[in-house]
Structures are given as structure tokens and as C-alpha cells.
Amino acid sequence: MNFRQLSLYSFILIALANPSLLWAARHHHPTPTPTETATDTPTPTPTPYNYTGPKLYSFDAMWGSKGSEPNQLNYPEDIAVGPDGRLFIADTGNNRVAVWTADGEPVTTFGTFGSQSSWRNPPQFNHPTGIFVYPNKQIYVADSLNSRIVVLDVNGMVVTTWGSPGTGVGQFNLPHAMAEDHYGNIWVMDTGNSRVQIFSNLGVFNSTWGSFGTDATANTLTAVMNQPRGLALNHIDQAIVADTGNFRMEVYNNGGIPVTIQGWYGEDGPNVFKDPSGVAVTPSGMAAIADGSGRVLFYNSKNGDFEYLGEWRAKDEILNANYAPRFRGIACDAQNRLYITDVQNDAVLRLKPINVPGAEPTPTPEPPTFTPTPVDSNPYGGSGFPIR
């Protein structure tokens, strides 16, 4: 046996005794390269917006729950304050109008589901989304899916109705908010047609302006909107619009001439909107925009520049950590108190002013005091009866 044969024989014996050597000979495994450790700083989690501006309003009260009882609501879309201070709520999911006191006590309800609107009869609604109370206490309801405006008397009976589905004058596609100008005309936000229509208080067509669009700069002489829901008029009949689909607040002179357009999409912050839906003008001259994110943004509507004044956020005051609101309608009473509908929680919130320019803070009532009757009140002396 020569040297080569002896070496091959020795390798076979060793391989049979340790088969892993044979596998290693056929499958080379290089020394692994150490994994490179990342040296870049990870992207930080965005810091939540912390509002530090002026506190104009404070949470005051909340009423309601889901249901059809007089003190319950089902997706309430709009709210108005009547001349007597009572609350009129477009109780959309229940197809009715709910009337409450300013302290949330139920008074009555008007309406059932349907399409009938006969004079001097109880009304029927299909998804009422807007409500307004005229100075003579007549109630105007935007009967959205019936594409009409229904007018009720103080007893909730039908006075008149106007409108039909379509895009022509006097026709509607999902009418929502309403407002009254200084001439007594009714302005209707024709949401699906992205326009405003103006009528006499008897429903006689006057004029219309607005069209669908998203460009906030090029169309300087016309009003362009995208599914706007909210509408209110200030002291000089400028239309303040919650342009829902464009995530902004817009102001127009009569005839639809733009005054200012402010806002963009966002979760939180000045001039930022996620779901702007309701507008109210306070007696002190502020425009309050209810946003579906659980905020109310305030603008000065008296000086013409509509400067941003501040906001109120539910998450800053309401202690229930699980409360997730979705605001929709908003109204203001003579005391500058705001009432907001919450479609997510089937409720109405009330906010009280605490630092509103031009308005007195809501006073805290003093506890009653009693003056005892004097033992002898007779001005002529003696022990006669006290004078009262």
C-alpha cells in the first residue's frame, strides 16, 4: 500500500467516525459578518397639539341618550334656540322635532316618519337635518330626504311646505341649515347642490348662489363649495359657511361674493378642520364653528377680518376618558351660551361663556338669604301686625 492509498484509507475511516467533517468539506460556511447596528435616531412620535390660547367657553351641561323617549335622541343633526329660549332639535334618526327647555327638560315632540305634509295636520319627515325658529315662533324644518322645507306653527301643525328633488330654482338636494336675514328672508343651505337658496318666509324664491368646487383662490368672484352643511348670518348679513367637504370656513357677501376663506384638513389646531358642520353667531359677534372632531373654533365676525380667536375642545374638560364626540349642529342663546348636538352620543352639550369679548361671564348664583321679620314692624308702635 503506497502513501496515497494510505491517506485515502485514513480519510475514509475518519469520515465514517465523524460524518460532519464530510458535510463540512462539501458545504463551506464562511464566518458570518456581524450585523450592522443602526446609528440613525428613530423618528419621534408626533407631539399632540396642546392648545394654550384664551379660554372663551367652559363645559356646562350635557343631556340625552340614544332612544325615542321624549328625553332621548337618535342622531340629532341640528339645533335652534327659539325666541322664548327653548331648544328645538332636529332629531334626525327619530324623524321628529324635539322641544326641550334650556336646561334639557323635555317639553314635546312633533313628527313621525313619512312624506305627508297636509295643512293643519301633524307633520311627517324623512331625515330632518336642519331647523330654524322664526321670530313669530314658526318652526322651519329642512326635511332632507323629502327634499323640501316644512313650516310648522307653535303647536307643531303644518303651515306650508315648498321644494322638490332637483337642481332647479326652488328644488333641493339634501337641504340642511337655515338662517334669517334682516329682511325676514330664509336662507337655505342646499348641501347636495353646493349652493345657497334664498326665499321669502312664505317660500317664494328670491335668488341663489354657489356651485360645486374646491379651488379657494382662482374663483375670486364666485362661491365654490363642497357639500357644505353649516350656515349662519352675521350682523350685516354676511353668510358664514361650514364648507364640510373642503375642510374650511368661508364667508360670503350677499350674492355669493367671497370675503375670506380659511382652513384646511387636520386633526387639531388653529384654522384646522376635520368635519366642519355647524355655524352659530353669538350676540357678542363671534362666529362659532362646530367641528366633528369634538371642537368649536371661534372667529371675530364684527370687524370684517374674521381673525381666529381660539377654540374649545371636549377632551380638555370632559372627564370621561371614553367620551368620543362627533359634533354636528350648534346654536347660541341670548346669554351667549352655546348648544351643540353630538350625533355620536345622541346628546346635546351646553357651553357657558367665561372670557368672551363683549359679553359678560355667566354669573354664579348666590345662595338665597332670608331676612327675618322684625318682632315689631308697626310704624305706629305697639305690637301690631308686621308690614309686608
Side-chain angles (χ1 to χ4, degrees), residues 95-373:
N95 293 294
R96 69 184 184 185
V97 172
V99 184
W100 290 0
T101 69
D103 292 319
E105 295 292 331
V107 177
T108 188
T109 60
F110 307 133
T112 57
F113 172 75
S115 59
Q116 297 297 317
S117 59
S118 303
W119 179 68
R120 303 295 296 167
N121 279 283
Q124 292 184 340
F125 302 117
N126 187 358
H127 209 76
T129 55
I131 193 161
F132 170 76
V133 184
Y134 207 69
N136 66 3
K137 299 184 180 180
Q138 286 186 335
I139 307 159
Y140 288 69
V141 182
D143 191 7
S144 186
L145 293 185
N146 281 327
S147 302
R148 66 188 182 189
I149 304 300
V150 179
V151 184
L152 310 177
D153 64 18
V154 293
N155 298 313
M157 297 297 179
V158 175
V159 174
T160 187
T161 182
W162 74 84
S164 61
T167 59
V169 296
Q171 295 183 316
F172 298 109
N173 181 7
L174 304 176
H176 274 71
M178 291 169 287
E180 178 204 4
D181 65 19
H182 283 83
Y183 300 98
N185 296 314
I186 303 298
W187 297 39
V188 182
M189 179 56 76
D190 189 6
T191 301
N193 288 321
S194 295
R195 66 183 181 182
V196 172
Q197 295 197 70
I198 304 173
F199 303 86
S200 75
N201 63 344
L202 298 178
V204 178
F205 175 78
N206 184 332
S207 61
T208 183
W209 51 264
S211 60
F212 172 80
T214 59
D215 193 339
T217 57
N219 297 285
T220 56
L221 298 179
T222 59
V224 292
M225 300 174 284
N226 181 5
Q227 299 287 317
R229 290 200 196 107
L231 170 69
L233 302 178
N234 67 1
H235 63 294
I236 56 174
D237 286 343
Q238 290 177 320
I240 304 167
V241 175
D243 190 359
T244 311
N246 284 326
F247 314 108
R248 62 195 185 203
M249 181 271 289
E250 303 168 1
V251 182
Y252 298 97
N253 285 331
N254 195 354
I257 305 302
V259 175
T260 185
I261 297 175
Q262 301 183 35
W264 54 89
Y265 179 81
E267 293 286 339
D268 214 346
N271 295 309
V272 167
F273 298 98
K274 183 178 180 180
D275 184 25
S277 299
V279 184
V281 176
T282 71
S284 61
M286 290 198 308
I289 316 293
D291 189 75
S293 61
R295 299 179 300 138
V296 180
L297 285 75
F298 299 100
Y299 294 84
N300 188 346
S301 76
K302 294 185 70 173
N303 61 5
D305 63 4
F306 290 88
E307 62 176 325
Y308 171 81
L309 297 177
E311 66 181 69
W312 178 86
R313 307 191 306 178
K315 63 183 178 181
D316 291 336
E317 286 199 62
I318 298 178
L319 299 179
N320 184 353
N322 296 321
Y323 177 61
R326 186 180 177 191
F327 294 163
R328 184 58 58 86
I330 187 170
C332 189
D333 67 11
Q335 289 76 45
N336 278 279
R337 296 180 298 184
L338 294 173
Y339 301 85
I340 309 166
T341 59
D342 179 358
V343 295
Q344 185 71 29
N345 296 281
D346 306 293
V348 171
L349 287 76
R350 184 173 69 193
L351 307 183
K352 60 182 179 181
I354 59 173
N355 188 25
V356 174
E360 293 295 328
T362 303
T364 302
E366 297 290 336
T369 58
F370 301 94
T371 303
T373 302

Side-chain angles (χ1 to χ4, degrees), residues 14-31:
I14 294 172
L16 291 176
N18 191 353
S20 61
L21 295 177
L22 182 61
W23 174 265
R26 297 182 58 188
H27 301 277
H28 175 67
H29 292 279
T31 303

